[in-house]
Amino acid sequence: MVITRPTWDEYFALITRQVATRSTCLRRKVGAIIVKDKRILTTGYNGAPMRVRNCLEIGTCLREELGVPAGERHEICRGLHAEQNAIFQSAYHGVQIRDSVIYSTTQPCVLCAKMIINCGIKKIYYFEDYPDPLAIELLDEAGVELIRLDF
């Protein structure tokens, strides 16, 4: 019997997708993990800040109510993005993430892209596109590699 193991990318992809299941967003479930030297440093999913009611608890999405398109007006939302939460967890727990990589179920928006750049994250692996060309432009200019995974 031949036993096969997932590649590292497949392994981290499965975990990233599992992290997304914790999301409290009614619109889009996103997960992110920050990895360095094949070790998971932090995880994050999209949802409201600590001690703030989330959209699942409230039962409605403000962005949906107002018809805000994806990729626009990020400030009109109770939640933080998965990438933001993964970065904030590193700060909260004192975990060094410089020279790491991030896996995300969705391509980062421009807000997350700027945070990723300034944290020193070197690569982004993602699975779904997101309508934010400025994010791609900034990541390219900063030399952060953006890799779309298709499995």
Side-chain angles (χ1 to χ4, degrees):
M1 174 163 80
V2 176
I3 298 174
T4 61
R5 296 172 67 195
T7 66
W8 284 108
D9 286 339
E10 291 167 339
Y11 172 71
F12 292 130
L14 288 169
I15 294 169
T16 303
R17 288 186 173 120
Q18 187 63 36
V19 169
T21 67
R22 290 284 305 153
S23 171
T24 59
C25 181
L26 297 171
R27 197 174 198 191
R28 179 191 310 260
K29 305 245 182 255
V30 180
I33 65 171
I34 298 176
V35 175
K36 186 173 183 178
D37 300 327
K38 297 185 175 69
R39 302 263 185 234
I40 297 170
L41 302 178
T42 64
T43 67
Y45 52 85
N46 55 331
M50 294 186 293
R51 297 178 298 282
V52 173
R53 289 182 305 143
N54 63 57
C55 295
L56 279 178
E57 294 168 326
I58 293 170
T60 187
C61 170
L62 181 59
R63 292 175 62 81
E64 284 294 319
E65 287 179 2
L66 297 174
V68 178
E72 297 179 16
R73 304 293 312 271
H74 298 288
E75 75 278 7
I76 301 176
C77 182
R78 294 184 74 81
L80 295 160
H81 292 182
E83 302 92 336
Q84 293 169 333
N85 275 326
I87 290 167
F88 296 154
Q89 285 298 308
S90 73
Y92 189 83
H93 294 288
V95 176
Q96 174 62 254
I97 60 172
R98 184 180 339 134
D99 297 324
S100 63
V101 301
I102 190 167
Y103 289 78
S104 180
T105 55
T106 305
Q107 173 205 312
C109 71
V110 69
L111 298 174
C112 293
K114 290 186 279 188
M115 290 181 185
I116 287 167
I117 291 165
N118 274 6
C119 286
I121 294 173
K122 300 299 181 191
K123 287 184 186 178
I124 302 166
Y125 295 92
Y126 72 99
F127 310 102
E128 297 173 24
D129 291 326
Y130 189 73
D132 199 333
L134 182 56
I136 295 170
E137 181 182 330
L138 294 178
L139 291 165
D140 184 54
E141 186 176 336
V144 177
E145 196 173 350
L146 193 60
I147 302 164
R148 188 171 198 277
L149 299 173
D150 290 320
F151 49 80

